[in-house]
Amino acid sequence: MNSDGTQDARGTHAHPVPRPAGPPDVPTAPPRPTRAPGVPPPPDGSAFLAWLRAPRPEALPGVWRFGHRPRPEEEPERVPGRQLLSGALIAFLVGWLIWSLLWNGYLGGWWLLPLYAMIPDSWAEPHSFGAVVVVYAYYVLIAGIIMVGVGRLGRWSEIWRRYGPPAWRRDPVRDQRPPTPEADPAAWPALRAAGATDAAERLAADARAGLMRDVDQARIARAWQGVRNGRHSLAAFTGAVLADGAAACPHPSGARDLPARQARHDLLTGQVRIGTTADDPRNPYAYRGTGLALGPELLGTSLLAVGPAGSGKTGGVVRPLAESLCLHALAGKAAVVVVGAAGAGLGDSDAYDVVVRIGNPESVYDLDLYGGTTDPDEAAAVLAEALVGDLADPHPGSDSRRSTTVLAQLLGPFRAVHGRFPSVPELRQLLDGAPGPLAALRSGLQAAGQESLLRELDARERQMAHPGDVGGTLADRVALLDRPAFAGFFDTSGQSRPFSLKALDHPVRVRVDLPQRGHADASRMLARLVLAQFTASVTVREDRSLFACLVLDDAAGVVTPEAVRGIQRLRSANAGAVLTLRTLDDVPRPLRGPLLGATGCRMALSGVTPWDGQDFAEVWGKEWTEARDVTDRQIIAESPAGKAAHALRRAITGKAPTARAVTVRQVERERWSASELAHAVPAGHAVLSLTDVKGEHAPPLLVDLRE
């Protein structure tokens, strides 16, 4: 069946999903699972079923929902342990004293009057069995009442919760009774309710037999969503499930899992765990000690992470997110493009469908310089953003459209004559104003009768004579790509396998390796090109049910005014971007505020500079908090006895007697100051604020990325 491009025949689309260079080695039967979800389950499927049935309560944004136990919004009053135990002991002694006084008759016999009223006259004989039973039952009742009273007074229940068996259980996922088929997710109740009972039975049998993974469950659930939305027929879905079971509706690559996982994933909620919220007073009580996770609902507002080298951006943030998005792509829920330097450790090549190694002669795929479009104006806009986006004036009112106009004046005529866009050397010659290529282009337009395009070419030749023409600047930038290392790339003649971001309509996994050594400027230019093509492609998709995400490991020199506007448009297109920076100084000063405002999730890692912290402090704003001012005033004794008592107290404690005055007032303070961000964030930690696509947000949280 056709399941959102997850099971389409090769080459049947206008822009087919690129496949790996060699066909994947997919066995006819799934490999025998050995471990819990996150990796293949054991043969009996018990761990997979336990994972599937684990509680996932609704929680605040960013909370790891797998096995989560909700906490109160505010911290309850917590009595110190020493005071709690001493109070419980004193309460017990008081209760024992009261019982002793009652038992020995020191308080009189008034408390026995109800007992005498209950015993009938026939039981008045000595050692009557009924009388003995009633008497001792009454004693137990009175003792129980005293015990309940002193237990409440001594907070015995709090001691039980803090130090008893409830505090010994550390596993958040407790064993539960097997749920009923109507409430058991492993029984696929939605399929049963729709009449696909045979398919539900087949899937449940594969889950019990250990043949189903978490990716299989998410992929089939995605295909079923397509049935409910009317994109696929119920008969085709049922036939695929009955034929293939847990392997139904496969990804085009045939893969059902990644070669290796390093992060903790929960595909049922779409989350990946990146750390643990610190038990710190600056964190809201409901978040303290909980796992922190990210998913498409948060990445849909885009994420910006800032921290120096070695602070954990790649290993603690980018790599888990890239791995999670690749799993979502295998489940048919997402398309991901990961851009980083070669050797940055962004995942194995086997984890991606397409790996573009720019500058590496062994690369199977090439990068389409024009984004797969046939419109010269669109191609000129995207290419101009890549070439001179970092040179454009970021101030409002600047006119950066001149570069787009210059490129359009050349790309349109060239495509009309040759049926394709120019290669890098040809484009460089045209921008340089070489007379031979321009004359040949003019002859071709005259032969084809393209009068309107001839006027475009005439305008370009007139502008070349002006001293302020940007054609020379564009030619210098194109020259960065016209190098021997890139000789086999950006081919437009059809001899290579160019990858176009138009393929993001399908659940494709793409990794783009940028050259770094000796080609830093070219790498930044190519990163801007990918970002521009991504924002241009995802915003015009017809089917936006597939989440698309761009992960850019180093966005230095990439942020431009147009890039900020493009990031702002991603949220409405069910797409997002993950950008990392070593410092905000890599972004022009006028663009730092708009960039922080365009991203809904902002992360400041350990080691940021105070001036970077100032930008985060401004965007996070202030909050009302309670300030306590404590004043100690020395007590002056006037009587001789008082002076003697004070002298004795000073001799014992070494301090003069004082009276403490506490003043409580409401003040407005920064949530995290620039100094705190620069100096109070421990190594391996980060301060992270979150906003999801529904508008719910979490305040800045101190997170330990190592747990």
Side-chain angles (χ1 to χ4, degrees):
M1 66 172 282
N2 185 342
S3 58
D4 300 334
T6 60
Q7 195 180 1
D8 299 324
R10 296 177 183 263
T12 57
H13 294 280
H15 300 284
V17 182
R19 270 71 176 182
D25 186 14
V26 182
T28 56
R32 181 64 65 181
T34 57
R35 287 193 287 159
V39 288
D44 59 355
S46 58
F48 172 79
L49 295 177
W51 166 82
L52 191 60
R53 295 166 177 167
R56 294 171 175 84
E58 293 295 329
L60 297 171
V63 172
W64 175 251
R65 291 173 53 192
F66 179 75
H68 172 63
R69 293 180 180 178
R71 305 181 68 181
E73 291 291 336
E74 297 182 358
E75 182 177 7
E77 183 180 358
R78 185 176 178 89
V79 181
R82 182 177 179 180
Q83 179 181 346
L84 185 65
L85 295 175
S86 61
L89 178 60
I90 293 173
F92 173 76
L93 295 177
V94 170
W96 183 267
L97 177 62
I98 294 175
W99 174 253
S100 299
L101 294 176
L102 292 175
W103 181 263
N104 294 314
Y106 293 111
L107 298 181
W110 56 269
W111 65 284
L112 296 174
L113 295 178
L115 176 63
Y116 297 147
M118 289 187 296
I119 298 178
D121 296 338
S122 59
W123 291 1
E125 294 82 1
H127 307 293
S128 172
F129 177 76
V132 171
V133 171
V134 172
V135 168
Y136 279 99
Y138 184 74
Y139 289 163
V140 171
L141 176 63
I142 297 300
I145 293 175
I146 295 174
M147 183 177 296
V148 170
V150 299
R152 286 181 173 272
L153 182 64
R155 301 185 181 184
W156 291 0
S157 59
E158 177 67 19
I159 294 178
W160 176 262
R161 289 192 299 268
R162 192 180 300 186
Y163 303 107
W168 304 342
R169 293 195 294 264
R170 297 297 182 185
D171 186 7
V173 183
R174 294 170 291 186
D175 294 335
Q176 299 178 351
R177 294 181 178 179
T180 60
E182 294 77 11
D184 186 6
W188 298 86
L191 273 66
R192 297 177 186 274
T197 306
D198 295 340
E201 290 291 346
R202 173 63 190 274
L203 294 175
D206 283 3
R208 290 191 300 269
L211 301 178
M212 182 175 288
R213 303 177 176 90
D214 53 352
V215 178
D216 298 329
Q217 193 277 339
R219 186 185 66 252
I220 296 174
R222 166 72 176 178
W224 173 250
Q225 183 182 6
V227 174
R228 298 188 61 181
N229 293 338
R231 293 194 298 268
H232 315 302
S233 66
L234 178 61
F237 172 82
T238 303
V241 171
L242 292 178
D244 301 323
C249 313
H251 186 265
S253 66
R256 295 173 58 189
D257 205 346
L258 298 180
R261 301 191 193 181
Q262 298 181 357
R264 297 179 58 185
H265 304 273
D266 184 21
L267 291 182
L268 207 60
T269 59
Q271 293 181 314
V272 55
R273 180 164 177 160
I274 65 170
T276 302
T277 308
D279 190 3
D280 188 274
R282 287 169 291 194
N283 288 337
Y285 180 73
Y287 277 97
R288 295 179 195 171
T290 63
L292 192 87
L294 299 177
E297 74 284 352
L298 293 171
L299 297 181
T301 62
S302 298
L303 167 67
L304 174 66
V306 180
S311 59
K313 299 188 300 299
T314 301
V317 180
V318 173
R319 190 178 302 157
L321 290 178
E323 189 175 276
S324 174
L325 292 168
C326 286
L327 290 173
H328 281 75
L330 290 180
K333 295 182 177 181
V336 56
V337 180
V338 181
V339 183
L346 300 178
D348 297 335
S349 299
D350 295 338
Y352 295 90
D353 302 313
V354 176
V355 178
V356 182
R357 298 182 175 92
I358 300 177
N360 189 339
E362 298 179 358
S363 178
V364 176
Y365 286 94
D366 190 3
L367 182 65
D368 193 331
L369 194 63
Y370 302 98
T373 183
T374 58
D375 183 4
D377 293 330
E378 181 181 351
V382 173
L383 189 57
E385 173 67 12
L387 294 178
V388 297
D390 58 334
L391 299 180
D393 185 4
H395 293 282
S398 65
D399 186 8
S400 60
R401 292 175 294 179
R402 291 186 301 164
S403 300
T404 303
T405 302
V406 169
L407 289 171
Q409 289 172 342
L410 296 174
L411 296 182
F414 191 95
R415 181 172 180 80
V417 174
H418 300 281
R420 60 177 178 86
F421 288 123
S423 62
V424 170
E426 292 171 335
L427 180 60
R428 180 183 180 183
Q429 290 179 348
L430 292 174
L431 290 171
D432 273 333
L438 290 176
L441 192 57
R442 177 178 295 277
S443 299
L445 292 175
Q446 291 174 347
Q450 298 284 349
E451 297 296 334
S452 61
L453 294 179
L454 275 172
R455 290 193 295 270
E456 292 284 336
L457 194 59
D458 292 338
R460 173 86 286 270
E461 292 179 343
R462 288 194 303 270
Q463 293 169 3
M464 289 171 54
H466 295 169
D469 182 48
V470 298
T473 302
L474 292 173
D476 293 340
R477 283 310 182 94
V478 173
L480 295 175
L481 302 180
D482 190 16
R483 308 299 301 167
F486 309 131
F489 289 84
F490 317 118
D491 179 60
T492 59
S493 62
Q495 302 299 319
S496 63
R497 302 179 65 182
F499 170 75
S500 168
L501 269 70
K502 294 291 185 181
L504 294 181
D505 284 333
H506 308 282
V508 63
R509 302 166 294 166
V510 183
R511 194 185 77 193
V512 180
D513 292 346
L514 301 176
Q516 287 293 327
R517 296 182 179 178
H519 302 284
D521 291 337
S523 294
R524 288 191 289 268
M525 185 188 306
L526 293 172
R528 289 194 300 272
L529 177 65
V530 175
L531 177 58
Q533 291 184 0
F534 178 82
T535 56
S537 299
V538 298
T539 53
V540 297
R541 293 182 301 168
E542 295 182 0
D543 181 12
R544 296 185 177 181
S545 63
L546 196 70
F547 179 70
C549 188
L550 171 68
V551 181
L552 190 54
D553 188 32
D554 186 4
V558 176
V559 179
T560 65
E562 185 59 34
V564 173
R565 287 189 287 268
I567 292 174
Q568 292 173 338
R569 296 192 296 266
L570 294 179
R571 182 171 176 177
S572 60
N574 192 24
V578 178
L579 309 177
T580 67
L581 292 168
R582 290 186 177 90
T583 173
L584 287 175
D585 287 341
D586 293 332
V587 178
R589 166 55 67 180
L591 292 180
R592 296 178 192 176
L595 176 63
L596 290 170
T599 53
C601 304
R602 312 172 188 100
M603 176 183 291
L605 288 93
S606 174
V608 297
T609 60
W611 40 92
D612 284 349
Q614 184 62 40
D615 291 322
F616 279 99
E618 290 179 359
V619 75
W620 283 331
K622 300 180 179 181
E623 64 177 348
W624 288 100
T625 184
E626 189 177 84
R628 300 171 63 90
D629 297 331
V630 180
T631 304
D632 288 336
R633 180 179 58 85
Q634 183 176 356
I635 302 175
I636 300 176
E638 299 180 356
S639 63
K643 293 181 180 180
H646 286 188
L648 178 62
R649 181 175 177 181
R650 186 182 297 108
I652 295 175
T653 62
K655 298 180 181 179
T658 58
R660 175 169 294 182
V662 180
T663 303
V664 181
R665 54 194 176 92
Q666 294 289 328
V667 297
E668 191 178 20
R669 292 180 178 173
E670 292 178 328
R671 298 177 184 270
W672 279 84
S673 67
S675 179
E676 288 177 327
L677 290 172
H679 306 294
V681 179
H685 290 63
V687 179
L688 171 64
S689 65
L690 301 170
T691 304
D692 64 11
V693 293
K694 296 180 180 179
E696 298 182 7
H697 64 276
L701 305 170
L702 180 62
V703 181
D704 188 352
L705 300 177
R706 301 168 299 184
E707 297 184 2

